[in-house]
Amino acid sequence: MKPFVFAYQAVLEARVAEEEASKQAIAAIVKRRSTLEQGLVEHRGFLESNRNQARSGLVGRVDIDTLRAHAGQSVQVMRRIRGLLAEMAEVHDDLGRARDEWKACRRRRKGVECLRDRARKSWERECRRAERRAQDDLVATRASRELQA
């Protein structure tokens, strides 16, 4: 009997490729999120060190220009942090949408795989039927030869 051929194999391959593309999109978003988180950690560290430097400058004679410079740097870093947080919120939304898209792709792929599995089971049943018919034909042929002999 002929080997099993799934009529919608090209569709299944397209669904698998679509799912892989959505996984790669998720990976890119996660990478972007990691980069943003790293930036936030670095900025937070800078704020801590800047705050400690400003506090150490408050001992003894106070240099107002140095304090003003530390305050200005802190304000700039806080602006950057706000920008990173806004970008983080966007990335979070993008990640949710990408995960929903991946789930939809996975559902579509599984639907086609289910069709393939049904077709394979049907093909296997048909193979068994054909084999039984062939065996029955052989038995009938042998029985008719024995009767003729």
Side-chain angles (χ1 to χ4, degrees):
M1 186 146 204
K2 292 190 241 177
F4 175 71
V5 177
F6 181 50
Y8 300 109
Q9 185 63 36
V11 174
L12 179 58
E13 290 169 2
R15 296 288 190 246
V16 169
E18 184 180 70
E19 185 179 6
E20 285 301 315
S22 67
K23 282 182 189 178
Q24 290 174 355
I26 289 173
I29 293 170
V30 167
K31 183 179 179 182
R32 179 68 183 139
R33 183 180 66 182
S34 296
T35 303
L36 291 172
E37 287 172 349
Q38 183 62 35
L40 286 171
V41 168
E42 289 172 4
H43 283 76
R44 182 173 175 228
F46 176 80
L47 281 177
E48 288 294 321
S49 68
N50 194 25
R51 186 177 302 130
N52 290 336
Q53 287 176 355
R55 281 187 187 147
S56 67
L58 292 175
V59 177
R61 185 168 170 250
V62 176
D63 183 13
I64 197 73
D65 292 331
T66 305
L67 288 176
R68 190 175 293 134
H70 285 294
Q73 289 172 346
S74 292
V75 168
Q76 288 177 356
V77 170
M78 289 302 293
R79 281 188 198 134
R80 287 189 207 128
I81 287 174
R82 278 191 212 104
L84 288 174
L85 289 174
E87 200 171 340
M88 247 335 225
E90 291 175 17
V91 166
H92 182 73
D93 293 342
D94 292 345
L95 185 58
R97 282 190 293 275
R99 283 184 177 152
D100 290 343
E101 177 61 26
W102 171 70
K103 288 175 186 175
C105 290
R106 187 177 66 183
R107 237 184 340 270
R108 289 190 295 265
R109 175 190 52 85
K110 287 187 181 239
V112 177
E113 283 178 347
C114 185
L115 288 175
R116 180 196 61 197
D117 294 343
R118 286 182 189 169
R120 182 180 296 278
K121 285 179 184 176
S122 175
W123 174 80
E124 288 171 351
R125 272 194 309 274
E126 192 56 42
C127 284
R128 285 192 299 273
R129 285 183 193 144
E131 189 176 321
R132 280 194 299 261
R133 271 188 249 123
Q135 287 175 350
D136 289 346
D137 287 346
L138 287 174
V139 168
T141 303
R142 185 171 53 171
S144 79
R145 284 185 187 159
E146 286 176 0
L147 287 175
Q148 290 176 354

